[in-house]
Structure formats: C-alpha cells, structure tokens
C-alpha cells in the first residue's frame, strides 16, 4: 500500500507524466535535456531525461536516480529508486475506487481532481520558431499554480504516436471513478504537436526541457521490468493491511491495430 502523501500527489504526477510523454504502436526512444533553475528542493543543474515506449509499456529515466515504469495493460505504475534499489507500486485501475480508499479521503481526492481539471488551460499562440531543427509553434499551458510554454512540432518522428495516447488512456481511465475525471484524450487533442521544448514555471523556479534526439527501433522487454535485485518499499497507511505486489512481467507485444 502506498502512503497517503503518495495518494494525494498521484493525480498531479499522472498529469505531468502524460503531458511530457507519448505512447507508441512501434518502439520509440527519445532524449531530452532538462535544465533546472531555482526549483525548491532541487539543485540547479542539467539532467538528461530518457523516454522509452512500446505499444503497452513505458519507461522514463528522470536523470535524478528516479525511474518511472508503467504497464498500460495492467495500469500498474512503478517508481524505482536506482540509488538504493527500491521501488513502489501503484495500480491506477484501482486507485480511488470504492473499497480502496476511505470515503473521506476519496471525496477529498475527487474534489482535488475536479479543481485540477477545471484549472487546466491550453492556449495556442501564433508565435513560431525553429528549435533543435524543428519548426515549432508556441502553446501556453496552465494548471493549478503551474505555468508552461510548450513549443510543439508536427515534423518530429513519432508525432502520430503522441496523439494515440489520448484514445488509449481515456478508455482505461473511464473505468475508474477517480481517474475518469482526467480527460486525457481532450488534453492531447489540444496539444497539436510533439513537445520539442517546454519551459515550466513552478514554485518560483524554472524547468526547461529540450528535445535532443528521437529514435525508432526495437526495445528490450527488460527495460519495462523491475530488476530482480530491487526491494519493494513498504509505504502503508496505518489503517490498511499491506499486500505484496507482483513485479511487472515482460510486456507482450500486441498485434498491430487493424
């Protein structure tokens, strides 16, 4: 079981995860350079973020020792700490559903999700410029107290895969009473292009992420598994009895869509 703190930070984590991500019907990898300036709790500096996607699983290496793995079929999200070789697990298909969370907590979560989605705004602009060799258009995004500039391009290989995540994830979310409030398909439709550069203002700091390279090619299923030498980190509610989660199995490759 995950802690209450992780439960209440989860919706924002999911939203950020998908705003910076894409899904693919072929294997795709891309790297971005992330520059942090003045973000509370984070040292100033430059990191390299690596993203790996297949049709049914993803892996994001944040560049700070954190790795996020998600199995789209089972809706399991794994957060790995590469420094101490531990991990946590959240099943998004069950998060917030009746019986999984006390009524009072679920009501608070529903209210927070509603406020978050009401605050989500995407404003296209007429500003254009070439970034990393791609012609880009500027979009302004805001949600809660976070403000971002997105420079998007339709010329990046993998753009079609980016759009596919909306339909795929919205079908899963519609089955969950909490997550269905996140109109992922609607959000992705408003972001018309692949994010080549993003500039995010958060907590008086700035995070600038710039695309470095994109590659399409077969990826090893091992990338999307928790390594055997990692230990589950028990973060349990006092009122809950911990259950032993399973390590993710190697994703199976689905047949190409008809």
């Amino acid at each position: 079981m995950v802690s209450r703190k992780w439960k209440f930070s989860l919706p924002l984590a999911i939203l950020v995860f998908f705003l910076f991500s894409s899904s693919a019907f072929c294997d795709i990898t891309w790297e971005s350079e992330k520059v942090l300036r003045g973000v509370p709790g984070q040292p100033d500096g430059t990191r390299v973020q690596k993203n790996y996607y297949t049709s049914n699983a993803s892996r994001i290496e944040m560049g700070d020792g954190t790795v996020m793995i998600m199995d789209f079929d089972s809706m399991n999200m794994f957060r790995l700490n590469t420094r101490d070789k531990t991990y946590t697990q959240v099943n998004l298909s069950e998060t917030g559903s009746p019986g999984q969370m006390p009524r009072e907590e679920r009501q608070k979560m529903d209210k927070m999700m509603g406020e978050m989605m009401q605050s989500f705004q995407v404003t296209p602009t007429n500003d254009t410029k070439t970034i990393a060799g791609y012609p880009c258009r500027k979009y302004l995004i805001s949600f809660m107290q976070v403000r971002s500039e997105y420079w998007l391009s339709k010329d990046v290989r993998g753009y079609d895969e980016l759009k596919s995540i909306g339909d795929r994830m919205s079908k899963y979310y519609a089955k969950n009473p909490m997550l269905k409030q996140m109109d992922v398909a609607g959000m992705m439709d408003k972001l018309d292009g692949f994010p080549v550069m993003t500039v995010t203002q958060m907590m008086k700091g700035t995070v600038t992420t710039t695309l470095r390279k994109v590659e399409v090619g077969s990826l090893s299923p091992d990338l999307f598994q928790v390594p055997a030498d990692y230990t589950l980190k028990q973060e349990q509610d006092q009122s809950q009895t911990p259950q032993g989660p399973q390590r993710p199995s190697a994703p199976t490759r689905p047949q190409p869509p008809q």
Side-chain angles (χ1 to χ4, degrees):
M1 283 295 173
V2 293
S3 64
R4 286 190 173 89
K5 180 179 180 181
W6 174 229
K7 283 181 180 178
F8 284 96
S9 64
L10 182 60
L12 182 58
I14 295 171
L15 183 58
V16 173
F17 181 83
F18 288 118
L19 285 176
F20 283 90
S21 308
S22 76
S23 181
F25 288 112
C26 59
D27 296 356
I28 182 172
T29 305
W30 77 92
E31 289 186 7
S32 299
E33 181 180 82
K34 180 182 293 186
V35 180
L36 290 83
R37 294 286 183 268
V39 178
Q42 299 289 334
D44 288 357
T46 300
R47 304 172 182 172
V48 175
Q49 178 171 305
K50 298 181 180 180
N51 309 269
Y52 306 87
Y53 281 82
T54 68
S55 61
N56 60 333
S58 68
R59 175 189 177 99
I60 301 179
E61 298 176 0
M62 308 298 289
D64 62 353
T66 301
V67 175
M68 302 294 291
I69 295 176
M70 184 163 180
D71 185 317
F72 299 137
D73 293 324
S74 67
M75 290 297 286
N76 278 312
M77 179 181 286
F78 302 88
R79 183 175 183 176
L80 282 61
N81 185 327
T82 61
R83 294 191 178 95
D84 61 12
K85 293 189 175 182
T86 61
Y87 73 98
T88 57
Q89 175 184 348
V90 176
N91 188 312
L92 300 185
S93 65
E94 299 177 353
T95 301
S97 60
Q100 295 295 320
M101 183 181 295
R103 180 178 179 181
E104 183 178 349
E105 287 189 16
R106 189 168 66 251
Q107 290 175 340
K108 290 180 181 179
M109 181 75 78
D110 289 343
K111 180 180 179 181
M112 182 176 65
M113 292 285 291
E115 292 175 348
M116 181 187 299
M117 297 316 300
Q118 287 180 5
S119 72
F120 185 81
Q121 300 285 336
V122 176
T123 305
T125 76
N126 293 321
D127 295 343
T128 60
K129 67 178 176 180
T130 299
I131 303 173
Y134 300 104
C136 300
R137 182 183 180 187
K138 180 182 177 181
Y139 289 71
L140 300 177
I141 297 178
S142 63
F143 64 94
M144 305 300 280
Q145 298 180 354
V146 179
R147 302 291 181 269
S148 299
E149 294 180 9
Y150 270 52
W151 291 89
L152 308 180
S153 176
K154 297 180 181 180
D155 290 357
V156 178
R157 190 179 184 185
Y159 170 58
D160 290 339
E161 286 76 16
L162 177 67
K163 292 182 71 67
S164 73
I165 192 173
D167 289 337
R168 182 175 178 82
M169 298 311 298
S170 61
K171 292 177 182 178
Y172 287 115
Y173 281 20
K175 299 177 182 179
N176 181 279
M178 181 189 76
L179 299 178
K180 69 180 180 180
Q181 298 182 60
M182 297 182 67
D183 182 13
V184 177
M187 289 189 292
M188 300 310 293
D189 283 344
K190 295 177 182 179
L191 299 175
D192 196 12
F194 196 105
V196 176
M197 184 173 78
T198 63
V199 182
T200 300
Q201 306 291 334
M202 52 190 306
M203 297 181 290
K204 299 182 180 181
T206 302
V207 180
T208 303
T209 305
T210 306
L211 181 66
R212 296 196 346 176
K213 64 179 181 179
V214 179
E215 298 178 352
V216 176
S218 180
L219 295 173
S220 170
D222 292 343
L223 285 168
F224 309 102
Q225 299 184 60
V226 176
D229 59 344
Y230 276 56
T231 303
L232 172 66
K233 185 176 181 180
Q234 297 285 356
E235 292 184 308
Q236 64 186 68
D237 291 335
Q238 293 180 355
S239 60
Q240 300 288 339
T241 300
Q243 299 177 359
Q246 301 296 316
R247 299 181 188 275
S249 58
T252 57
R253 294 181 182 278
Q255 295 298 316
Q258 300 298 316

